[in-house]
Amino acid sequence: MTTYTTANTVDEFRQHLADVQARIAAACAKARRDPAGVRLLPVSKTVPETRIRNAYAAGCRSLGENKVQEAHRKWQALSSELPGLRWAIIGHLQTNKTKLVAEFASEFQALDSLRVAEALDKRLQALGRSLDVLVQVNTSNEASKFGLPPDEVAGFVKQLPAFSSLRVRGLMTLALFSDDAAKVRPCFVRLRNLRDRLRQSAPDGIAMDELSMGMSGDYALAIEEGSTIVRVGQAIFGARATPDSAYWPASGEHG
Ligand SMILES: *Cc1c(COP(=O)(O)O)cnc(C)c1O
């Protein structure tokens, strides 16, 4: 197990961000990819506002959060103080929380139902806003994971042009939790292959460029397999006290 040290000060955040960017660059070099094609999304779930201020001072301009209410509370507390900070919702959403997301998020990476698409679109239209979205795919075939089964994604994506305030950009996944690359890599390959196929069949206005895959434990591997967005929490902010089972149902495969 990797241990993740906590960043508190601005300097510690600078160091952690530089370390992660260096590992991203190394993974890109190994895969002969341009590092400009990989976006780092720092994930600040459970992190209190005081430390988010320091992360911002160290250069963070976007943050991923798994829980809508937590994200919305932080946005309310920080938005006037930290201009230009963008919020990405990366966790499963219930229709009754779409109103909050429409209000403040700039990105939603976990779209997996037409009900949520419809509710979000309605809220966004009312506010005159639009939102970048990624479709979440369950590439690990674990019943406990959110996201659409891969074979349902093409049909789902065909319905999305009906929701004009959603700008569909690509796909997102959570790989199997394991230290064994031989188990994790196929999840990333599955998402990339699916994206490549959907590029041929996706309707007009639906972009299939982004692949949001890779977290603290597996982002180098994800980059080798084509990731364009890595969602990194603990390697930047430090180990979380809250177990991940509070965010996703337990998968039974923790490495
Ligand atoms: C928490 C979370 C991450 C980041 O995980 P780390 O282990 O902190 O890097 C990435 N994606 C999602 C959906 C998350 O909930």
Side-chain angles (χ1 to χ4, degrees), residues 50-121:
T50 44
R51 291 173 59 219
I52 289 180
R53 288 189 183 90
N54 288 344
Y56 179 92
C60 278
R61 288 298 177 274
S62 61
L63 293 174
E65 290 271 346
N66 188 294
K67 293 192 170 174
V68 180
Q69 275 148 322
E70 177 180 343
H72 189 265
R73 178 170 51 69
K74 290 173 179 173
W75 167 74
Q76 280 185 317
L78 296 168
S79 62
S80 57
E81 189 186 337
L82 308 180
L85 183 57
R86 296 159 56 87
W87 297 88
I89 300 301
I90 59 175
H92 181 76
L93 191 60
Q94 292 166 324
T95 49
N96 62 2
K97 307 244 174 73
T98 51
K99 185 171 187 278
L100 289 182
V101 174
E103 229 181 282
F104 79 104
S106 53
E107 192 178 350
F108 173 51
Q109 296 201 355
L111 184 64
D112 64 0
S113 84
L114 289 174
R115 285 183 60 221
V116 167
E118 187 179 6
L120 254 184
D121 187 53

